[in-house]
Amino acid sequence: MSDHRSSDDIIICEAVNKWYGEYHALRDVSLRVKKGEVIVVFGPSGSGKSTFIRTINRLEEHQEGRIIVDGIEMSNDIRNIDAIRRETGMVFQQFNLFPHLTVIDNITLAPIWVRKKTRKESEARALELLERVGIKEQARKFPGQLSGGQQQRVAIARALAMEPRIMLFDEPTSALDPEMIKEVLDVMKELARSGMTMLCVTHEMGFAREVADRMVFMDRGQIVEEGTPEQIFTNPRQERTKLFLSQIL
Amino acid sequence: MATTDVSQPRARPVRQSLDVLGWLRENLFNSWYNVVITVALLILIYQVVSGLAGWLFTAQGWPAVVANLKVLLAWTYPADQLWRPQLALGVVTLLLGLSAGVWRGIVLALAVGFGVVCLLLALPTFLLAPVPAQVALPAWQMFLAAAALVAVGAFVGNAGGQRLRWPLVIAWVLLYPVVILIIRGFGGPLPIVDTNLWGGLMLTLLLSVSGIVLSFPLGILLALGRRSDLPVIKWFCIAYIELIRGVPLVTVLFMGSLMLPLFLPGGESIDQLVRATVAVTLFSAAYLAENVRGGLQAIPKGQTEAARALGLNVVQTTLLITLPQALRAVIPVLVGQFISLFKDTSLVVIVGLADLLGAAQGVVGQPEWLGTPGGVWRETFLFIAVIYWFFSFTMSRTSRRIEQQLNVGKH
Ligand SMILES: Nc1ncnc2c1ncn2[C@@H]1O[C@H](COP(=O)(O)OP(=O)(O)OP(=O)(O)O)[C@@H](O)[C@H]1O
Ligand SMILES: [Mg+2]
């Protein structure tokens, strides 16, 4: 237990608590994620899903409990936070591409400035990634000139360019028109099959059934239940899970 | 009813254009009260224009303007050293041309506009302006040379292409000190020209450009400081900004030029122009800071979150993500601020500097025009008003074009 590196848990959360002022947003959240695992987090609005995955790369600060990512313990030490951020990529609901940079510059920015790679090297890698997400021909456009689905795929490529060991997704398809959801999910499925460790907040149950190793149901800041998709869909143990699933399925 | 085959693309329908008479009827004479308004306005416009035109051609003060062109442009700057401001102008022009060749787009449009204006100015100055004996280049030759330099620069820049990018950026950064050095001199081949000889349009341009160039970094720092997490920095910036914004520029100028020497040991020896520049800079920085802060606030939180999630640190996030977007968003406001600074510099007259307005006052007061019926002030002030207008108008047009270009990359 003392040496986190030897375990094959790449994310360890132990009794994480977070408050927004008086509001108790995360209550004793504990979760272990193994290398290569795909976890789907779901639950009602306001249950703390975003808050939870954002504590993992310190976009939100937690007040109690421990978070250990790839052997690095999250602390107030900025070097640890930066190290963890280099290991994790994040994809947001609103894409959050940089509108003043072209697609390729969006992707090469962090490799050049954080990983100190050369522009040439980064651009070659960026084009590979754009090919992988299927929009190589859009490299020189600005984000504002792309559709939502294309923007989200650029955002995924941008996160992958840092060669993270973990990918965090916060409702990546919720802001998309229905016909674009599939193109983004296809990219995510391909990523899941390639062995990437993924923590996805999503209500795309088809995606969960197909690629998730485990599903985590959150409600009111707590993890209510976790299990394999098989078990969650056919035989949820908790009433709340059952109720929620009946509402969205 | 005939159906159109929507599966085939069609040419966009031509908008029916009205002929002149049709347009007049539709827009100016479409009802009895519009007829009345139109006629009344036409009479008014005729009165004003004919009166103005009549005065323009009969006014007797124009010789004062023509004879004092050098005074209005450069005040008492030694005539045998006038080649130095001209050289400075040449350097700026060449850089503009080179940049136009390298970056094209808006810079090219700007350079072409500049070249055309120079060509246009060459003709009247050739016909009108007398050539003072010692001047290196008479005005018309200067304008022709400027136009030529822009063209040559653009050509060379185009040939040099992207290789010239960084050298040019560095050249622009060095431009301001170099220009000051050329105009002020340092002894030897460039004897020092004391700043109390500077004046006219040259001083107005120098003061406003100095104000904006120097206040730019200061204003950005203040804007960032105002959003800082460190209370000391934050409250200092707020206090500074609110204090300066709470007083008129005249007050700051007076503080700088009259009171500062009382506080600072040896303050009397500080150059009057330096004092005015500092005052203008400090004043302008407070407004710039508020404009930049507005731009920073408008940036969605997701932008910084994405940058931080990618591992960029606070400084990188500011320099690469938030600041560029904030500055883009406030370009029109910044140009507006520059235009008002350009006009506000006329206030330095009260601390004894002769900018364009001060030079005009000087010309009006010259004894040789005392005999002119009605004096020469109308002509002189109209002339400098046109100069002020010309610069302000050009700047606001340019900012509109920059804005349109930047919109390409927007959501
Ligand atoms: N910055 C904040 N300040 C105060 N309260 C917050 C803040 N962010 C979130 N909360 C609260 O914390 C709770 C959890 O929010 P969170 O965004 O994590 O929910 P979520 O499960 O992601 O919901 P959704 O499905 O709507 O995205 C909510 O009640 C929300 O109001
Ligand atoms: Mg959420």
Side-chain angles (χ1 to χ4, degrees):
Chain A
M1 206 41 245
S2 57
D3 187 7
H4 310 295
R5 276 161 219 280
S6 63
S7 94
D8 58 351
D9 289 332
I10 194 164
I11 303 175
I12 302 170
C13 299
E14 282 172 0
V16 172
N17 280 283
K18 159 142 193 93
W19 288 264
Y20 287 114
E22 290 297 299
Y23 181 74
H24 200 168
L26 292 180
R27 298 195 258 164
D28 282 332
V29 173
S30 297
L31 184 72
R32 285 168 169 266
V33 182
K34 288 194 181 57
K35 254 176 222 148
E37 245 188 329
V38 176
I39 311 271
V40 163
V41 180
F42 69 109
S45 179
S47 58
K49 309 177 296 288
S50 300
T51 308
F52 173 53
I53 81 164
R54 287 157 61 88
T55 55
I56 291 171
N57 64 353
R58 210 14 122 80
L59 288 181
E60 300 289 352
E61 190 180 339
H62 63 286
Q63 280 93 31
E64 277 177 16
R66 298 214 298 169
I67 297 176
I68 297 155
V69 181
D70 203 18
I72 309 161
E73 170 139 19
M74 180 77 73
S75 66
N76 285 326
D77 189 339
I78 190 77
R79 279 167 302 181
N80 280 7
I81 296 174
D82 283 343
I84 289 176
R85 284 183 177 154
R86 265 176 262 135
E87 302 299 317
T88 53
M90 186 158 203
V91 177
F92 301 85
Q93 183 175 353
Q94 300 297 339
F95 328 138
N96 294 348
L97 293 177
F98 306 129
H100 60 303
L101 301 176
T102 58
V103 164
I104 191 136
D105 288 339
N106 262 278
I107 300 175
T108 56
L109 185 80
I112 290 173
W113 288 91
V114 181
R115 292 250 189 249
K116 311 289 180 204
K117 290 195 181 165
T118 64
R119 174 170 295 274
K120 216 171 148 195
E121 198 183 346
S122 317
E123 288 201 351
R125 175 85 184 114
L127 288 175
E128 273 172 42
L129 286 167
L130 281 175
E131 178 129 58
R132 185 167 168 195
V133 300
I135 38 173
K136 194 175 177 187
E137 67 288 352
Q138 314 284 1
R140 304 284 161 192
K141 287 194 182 164
F142 284 95
Q145 296 166 301
L146 304 184
S147 74
Q150 291 171 328
Q151 291 194 43
Q152 194 61 297
R153 285 185 281 160
V154 173
I156 295 174
R158 177 176 72 175
L160 290 176
M162 285 297 282
E163 277 152 21
R165 309 195 42 186
I166 301 160
M167 284 285 284
L168 307 173
F169 292 84
D170 190 359
E171 306 207 33
T173 55
S174 308
L176 296 176
D177 292 338
E179 72 271 21
M180 296 172 186
I181 291 179
K182 183 176 177 298
E183 63 190 45
V184 172
L185 287 181
D186 284 345
V187 170
M188 289 171 64
K189 285 177 197 165
E190 187 265 327
L191 196 58
R193 294 195 186 100
S194 76
M196 175 68 78
T197 310
M198 291 166 62
L199 199 54
C200 314
V201 175
T202 181
H203 290 124
E204 294 296 332
M205 290 303 153
F207 170 81
R209 211 185 293 262
E210 204 173 319
V211 295
D213 296 303
R214 260 190 303 155
M215 295 178 70
V216 172
F217 176 64
M218 285 186 75
D219 193 15
R220 290 178 224 153
Q222 286 174 306
I223 292 183
V224 175
E225 174 165 7
E226 59 175 278
T228 61
E230 166 79 12
Q231 183 240 313
I232 294 279
F233 286 124
T234 55
N235 187 21
R237 272 171 299 212
Q238 302 289 330
E239 271 314 304
R240 276 193 275 173
T241 319
K242 218 176 276 176
L243 186 66
F244 182 73
L245 281 173
S246 72
Q247 282 164 350
I248 63 163
L249 284 179
Chain B
M1 203 179 89
T3 53
T4 20
D5 179 8
V6 289
S7 65
Q8 291 302 313
R10 310 184 274 141
R12 167 193 182 147
V14 186
R15 188 166 164 269
Q16 238 184 348
S17 59
L18 297 165
D19 58 0
V20 178
L21 275 180
W23 185 89
L24 285 176
R25 193 171 307 127
E26 182 132 311
N27 292 291
L28 298 179
F29 298 101
N30 55 356
S31 64
W32 68 267
Y33 53 86
N34 263 354
V35 171
V36 172
I37 294 175
T38 304
V39 170
L41 278 177
L42 280 178
I43 293 174
L44 189 70
I45 292 172
Y46 173 77
Q47 288 288 336
V48 171
V49 170
S50 66
L52 198 64
W55 172 78
L56 273 179
F57 289 108
T58 56
Q60 296 176 13
W62 293 118
V65 174
V66 172
N68 282 299
L69 218 47
K70 184 252 164 190
V71 173
L72 290 171
L73 297 185
W75 191 233
T76 49
Y77 199 91
D80 61 343
Q81 298 294 323
L82 271 183
W83 60 272
R84 282 154 58 171
Q86 289 181 339
L87 175 66
L89 181 69
V91 174
V92 176
T93 312
L94 183 64
L95 263 186
L96 180 63
L98 285 169
S99 309
V102 173
W103 281 286
R104 306 217 180 83
I106 180 80
V107 196
L108 187 59
L110 197 65
V112 169
F114 182 81
V116 170
V117 168
C118 284
L119 283 179
L120 289 179
L121 286 175
L123 189 65
T125 44
F126 172 69
L127 294 176
L128 291 176
V131 183
Q134 319 93 316
V135 173
L137 282 182
W140 67 275
Q141 287 180 17
M142 176 181 88
F143 286 127
L144 280 186
L149 272 177
V150 167
V152 171
F155 189 73
V156 174
N158 191 24
Q162 299 304 309
R163 261 175 306 147
L164 290 175
R165 243 185 140 119
W166 280 109
L168 270 177
V169 170
I170 295 168
W172 278 110
V173 172
L174 291 178
L175 179 65
Y176 176 71
V178 165
V179 164
I180 299 288
L181 208 63
I182 293 178
I183 294 180
R184 181 167 182 279
F186 45 81
L190 286 181
I192 292 180
V193 176
D194 202 276
T195 53
N196 58 24
L197 299 177
W198 302 14
L201 178 62
M202 183 183 96
L203 184 77
T204 295
L205 286 175
L206 276 176
L207 258 179
S208 45
V209 171
S210 300
I212 220 74
V213 168
L214 300 175
S215 68
F216 202 72
L218 192 60
I220 289 175
L221 285 180
L222 283 168
L224 293 174
R226 189 166 185 169
R227 291 161 57 92
S228 162
D229 294 331
L230 300 173
V232 181
I233 294 180
K234 181 174 174 174
W235 289 111
F236 172 79
C237 292
I238 292 180
Y240 177 87
I241 292 169
E242 296 305 334
L243 186 72
I244 296 280
R245 278 161 46 95
V247 297
L249 176 58
V250 189
T251 322
V252 183
L253 275 172
F254 266 125
M255 284 288 288
S257 83
L258 303 176
M259 302 195 45
L260 206 61
L262 301 180
F263 308 144
L264 289 181
E268 275 308 334
S269 62
I270 300 177
D271 192 300
Q272 184 71 41
L273 179 57
V274 172
R275 289 186 222 160
T277 308
V278 169
V280 166
T281 304
L282 293 180
F283 183 78
S284 164
Y287 285 85
L288 209 132
E290 281 302 89
N291 290 335
V292 172
R293 187 172 72 111
L296 286 171
Q297 255 164 358
I299 295 172
K301 203 159 152 264
Q303 291 289 305
T304 34
E305 285 180 352
R308 307 289 285 124
L310 282 168
L312 297 169
N313 62 34
V314 183
V315 177
Q316 289 169 332
T317 305
T318 305
L319 291 181
L320 300 170
I321 307 299
T322 43
L323 209 49
Q325 292 187 52
L327 291 181
R328 265 164 203 240
V330 297
I331 281 177
V333 192
L334 293 183
V335 175
Q337 199 197 327
F338 184 61
I339 292 174
S340 60
L341 185 65
F342 175 71
K343 292 180 292 187
D344 284 349
T345 50
S346 52
L347 285 170
V348 298
V349 170
I350 58 162
V351 296
L353 293 173
D355 73 326
L356 184 54
L357 183 66
Q361 285 175 346
V363 168
V364 171
Q366 285 169 351
E368 49 268 53
W369 315 110
L370 287 180
T372 314
V376 297
W377 59 272
R378 289 191 194 85
E379 294 81 353
T380 315
F381 285 123
L382 180 67
F383 179 72
I384 66 162
V386 169
I387 296 185
Y388 275 120
W389 174 82
F390 173 76
F391 276 91
S392 308
F393 179 72
T394 315
M395 285 186 275
S396 75
R397 296 294 302 190
T398 311
S399 105
R400 290 257 307 265
R401 296 208 48 165
I402 297 177
E403 215 184 326
Q404 282 164 2
Q405 256 205 356
L406 291 181
N407 274 338
V408 174
K410 275 232 181 101
H411 278 298

